[in-house]
Structures are given as structure tokens and as C-alpha cells.
Amino acid sequence: MSHSDITRRSLLKTGSSALAGLSVLRLTGPAAAFQTPVGGEVIPWLDQPAENPVPQVAVRQLAWEELDSWITSNEDFFIIKHYDEPVIDESTWSLTISGHVSTPLTLTLDDIRNRLSQDVTFTIECSGNSGLPFLTGAVGNATWTGTPLAPLLEEAGVLDTGSEVIFWGADAGEQLWRDEITVTEHFARSMSLQEALASENLLAYGMNGEPLPPLHGFPLRLIAPGWYGVANVKWLTGIEVIDHRYQGHFMARDYVTIRESEQDGETTWMFTSVSHARIKSAPAKVMKQDDQYSIMGAAWGAEIASVDVSIDSGDWQPATLTETGDNAWSWVFWNFNWEAATPGEHTVTSRATGTAGNVQPAPGDPILAGKKTYWESNGEITRTVVIP
Ligand SMILES: Nc1nc2c(c(=O)[nH]1)N[C@H]1C(S)=C(S)[C@@H](COP(=O)(O)O)O[C@H]1N2
Ligand SMILES: [Mo]
């Protein structure tokens, strides 16, 4: 265990009171492998994201070269919102649990805060990340605090007819349907009752030891570890159990992946609603200290077994996992010693392999080549750098 492991774990356990200890340890120990060393520098990537055409939707993103912390601070955490930020008054806000339940519930924020509290460190990625030229940093890792969802559903008494659970957000906007009907639709997502009952799902009111910040869904959001960002409904106001499939805008029209495949010489099309995360990795930064170059990056979306790096499309070479966390839902950090970095332009590609044998696909892999929509773009990422 490195110093940074110790400080990170104690920080998570004891909160900000451990911050004093953190700086003391950092002074006595070496910097963590993922941190740009004192006296070192980051060589910026030559390829940079395109200008953001929708700053009101993609409000904030991670700048990869600046990645210097395993936990993403609330100030740096990416923000995606599809409608205007809702105005919520904590004193009048409540959460309802309704539909196919024997005992509908209405809970205040205090009711929820007074229940059993649970933490989970979970890396959220927007499923559109890497699918659009300007969306390359829609991923972050935070420790979320909340109350487990399953006991609340049990208390509400889900009826035998209940099969699906909708999570309703307070935010709403206009959606045009078939060029005919305009409705004001609330942001909402659903999952099966069985998926909703997973013990890791939280109704979260805390983010990295602070109340959920307004743009991350204050006062309450769903945290569904292992799911893409879109499932983690912010500004939660209602949980509704229904007896059929929910087909709202963000389930059945937007955030739908369309794949083309050949079956028995015939082209078939598959339409799926974005749901569980997929294995992925990215090179974050090239660091230089004295004359030594190293590459640091992250991998997430599955329990990660290993990460390999390819320079200039050469052979895959193993990277070292330096920060792994203690669950399958948080990203791992990796380092690669770039021994023979020669002056000039080079490409850097990373590839993650999961403990289940799942491998991050190459861009030409049929699963990606046949994909027509930009969601779930988990292919290998290649960055370009110029070594001086
Ligand atoms: N109510 C509501 N919840 C939402 C959204 C939204 O627009 N409204 N955006 C979703 C999407 S697409 C993503 S990627 C994540 C982003 O969470 P963050 O802004 O806290 O990073 O929130 C999800 N939850
Ligand atoms: Mo998203």
C-alpha cells in the first residue's frame, strides 16, 4: 500500500478532518504515481477536443492533462443537464414513492437523511463521452452518500403486478413527437424492478462529503453503480412502480443505441436503450521528469484486470495499475514508463481488459463499426503527443 492509498482511504473514512494528515504524509512520502511530480511537467496532447457547441448541456468536463486526483473534486466533476436547472426549495421538496405499491410514501429530506446511510465510490461516465468531437471528458469519480433504495421499495410494498421502476426528475422541457405533438416532459429514466432492487443503488444526498451540489442534483439523485450517467437521475422527486415498460424520451428516443449487423446475409437493426457501462480506458497525460517520460491514464466501466499501451500502433505493452479502489465501480489509474521516447510526433493508445475476460474494443471492431449512434463509444482512444 502506498502513502497515497493510505491517505485516500483514511480521507474517505474520516472525511475532511483527515486533510491535515494528508499534507503531512505527502511531505514525507513520494508523490503518488498519478501525480505530476514536483519539478516535472505535463506534455499537452496535440489533439484537443473541439469547441463545445452546447455549453448549456455539457456544462463542465474533465481536462485530462489536469487529472491529478483519484477522487474528482465536486468543483471539477463533469456536468451534463438536458433541460434548465430546476429551482428546488429544500423546505418544500419531498420524494414520493407511488404506483403499484401497497403503501405509497412521501418523504422529506430529513426522513431520508435519518435512514441508514451508505457510501459508494462510483465513476460516472456519460454514454456520449468520446462519441462527439467536443465530448471527451464526461467522466468522473466521486464517493456518494445516501440511503439504500431497496429497503424503501420494500417498505412501500411493491405489488406482484409491479415490474418496472421510473425515477422522475424535477427538470422538464419541451419535446416534439412525430412532428405533431409538443409535450412538456420531465427528465425520467426507468429500470426493471429487479435492477432497481440491487443493493448498491442509493438515493444520494452527499457527494465527496458535501451536500449534493445544485448542478449534480440537489437535494437527491439516484446513484446506480455500473450504469451509464443517464440512469443516475438528478433532482429526484418521484419513484413510480409500473406494470409495463416506460418509453419516455430518454429511454426510447434519445440515449438509444442503434446497431447494424449481418445475419444470414441480411441486414438487421438492433435498438437498445443505453443502460450498463462498458469497459473503457483513456491515456490521461504524458509526464516528463528530468529526461524520463511516463504516461498516466484511467480505466473504468468494468472490474479492470489489466491495461496495455501501444505507442505508434506498436505491440501492446503492459501498464502498471497504481490506484484500484475497493470495488468494481470506481476507475483504476495506470502508469506506463515510456522508456524510449524519441523526439517527434507519437501516438499513444490504451486498452483495458476486465476480470471477466472482456476487452475494450478497437475502433474497427464489428460492435463499434456497426454502431450508427454516438452513445456507448467505448473503443480504444488514441492521443497524439509531440516529444520535444
Ligand atoms: N434530472 C436529470 N438527471 C440527469 C440528467 C438530466 O439532464 N436531468 N442528465 C443525465 C446524464 S445524461 C448524465 S451523463 C448524468 C451526469 O451527471 P453529473 O452532471 O452529476 O455529472 O446525469 C444524468 N441525470
Ligand atoms: Mo449523459
Side-chain angles (χ1 to χ4, degrees):
M1 209 189 223
S2 68
H3 283 301
S4 63
D5 280 326
I6 295 163
T7 52
R8 192 186 75 228
R9 293 220 165 86
S10 57
L11 183 66
L12 294 187
K13 287 212 178 70
T14 58
S16 52
S17 62
L19 269 171
L22 183 77
S23 52
V24 170
L25 275 174
R26 285 266 158 78
L27 286 175
T28 56
F34 56 82
Q35 292 176 317
T36 306
V38 178
E41 59 177 309
V42 172
I43 315 285
W45 300 110
L46 192 60
D47 61 298
Q48 288 292 328
E51 201 190 322
N52 181 358
V54 284
Q56 70 288 358
V57 177
V59 176
R60 184 164 64 208
Q61 297 188 58
L62 180 76
W64 283 105
E65 284 100 331
E66 290 166 19
L67 183 59
D68 224 25
S69 166
W70 188 75
I71 289 285
T72 313
S73 72
N74 295 359
E75 291 67 40
D76 291 337
F77 207 95
F78 84 95
I79 295 166
I80 303 274
K81 62 166 179 60
H82 292 280
Y83 300 134
D84 289 342
E85 183 187 353
V87 180
I88 294 181
D89 176 356
E90 185 184 332
S91 64
T92 54
W93 176 93
S94 66
L95 175 76
T96 58
I97 303 185
S98 65
H100 286 241
V101 296
S102 59
T103 315
L105 302 173
T106 301
L107 301 147
T108 65
L109 191 55
D110 277 342
D111 292 338
I112 292 166
R113 283 206 206 101
N114 287 332
R115 296 179 63 88
L116 175 71
S117 141
Q118 193 169 300
D119 282 1
V120 66
T121 302
F122 164 40
T123 300
I124 298 189
E125 184 188 25
C126 175
S127 52
N129 193 36
S130 326
L132 296 163
F134 66 90
L135 202 66
T136 59
V139 58
N141 185 45
T143 298
W144 309 92
T145 305
T147 196
L149 170 63
L152 267 172
L153 287 172
E154 273 150 33
E155 274 176 49
V158 175
L159 302 174
D160 286 346
T161 46
S163 59
E164 179 129 338
V165 182
I166 312 176
F167 299 89
W168 291 100
D171 49 332
E174 282 193 351
Q175 295 294 352
L176 174 64
W177 188 76
R178 292 190 61 177
D179 285 329
E180 284 170 38
I181 304 171
T182 300
V183 294
T184 300
E185 189 176 342
H186 279 262
F187 185 94
R189 283 278 307 193
S190 72
M191 54 177 71
S192 72
L193 176 62
Q194 196 192 340
E195 289 167 331
L197 288 173
S199 60
E200 62 269 21
N201 290 340
L202 299 183
L203 299 181
Y205 44 78
M207 181 178 183
N208 293 330
E210 290 168 28
L212 210 52
L215 284 167
H216 292 291
F218 179 87
L220 195 71
R221 79 180 298 173
L222 176 67
I223 284 294
W227 290 69
Y228 272 119
V230 69
N232 297 263
V233 177
K234 304 192 274 191
W235 306 298
L236 202 60
T237 57
I239 297 175
E240 185 180 349
V241 180
I242 58 172
D243 64 352
H244 54 274
R245 307 259 170 69
Y246 173 66
Q247 303 276 288
H249 183 81
F250 293 96
M251 289 299 291
R253 286 181 288 283
D254 208 348
Y255 286 84
V256 169
T257 295
I258 305 178
R259 280 200 173 84
E260 181 186 20
S261 66
E262 290 282 322
Q263 261 166 38
D264 305 325
E266 249 184 71
T267 298
T268 58
W269 295 90
M270 180 61 103
F271 296 73
T272 52
S273 188
V274 167
S275 60
H276 295 105
R278 290 174 186 271
I279 190 166
K280 190 163 171 181
S281 70
K285 58 184 178 182
V286 174
M287 296 181 282
K288 182 192 182 200
Q289 192 184 26
D290 303 324
D291 281 333
Q292 270 302 310
Y293 290 87
S294 64
I295 304 163
M296 176 266 161
W300 63 92
E303 190 173 30
I304 304 296
S306 59
V307 174
D308 294 286
V309 172
S310 163
I311 306 290
D312 298 328
S313 306
D315 290 346
W316 290 108
Q317 302 176 65
T320 305
L321 305 188
T322 60
E323 296 287 310
T324 54
D326 50 18
N327 70 41
W329 302 302
S330 47
W331 60 16
V332 306
F333 279 178
W334 50 265
N335 258 69
F336 178 79
N337 256 339
W338 191 356
E339 298 290 353
T342 51
E345 194 175 311
H346 297 282
T347 62
V348 176
T349 310
S350 69
R351 181 185 70 179
T353 300
T355 53
N358 42 335
V359 180
Q360 184 181 6
D365 188 293
I367 195 164
L368 293 176
K371 188 165 71 65
K372 302 296 168 186
T373 43
Y374 59 80
W375 314 111
E376 306 184 73
S377 293
N378 69 321
E380 292 161 7
I381 292 172
T382 296
R383 305 294 307 261
T384 307
V385 68
V386 176
I387 298 298

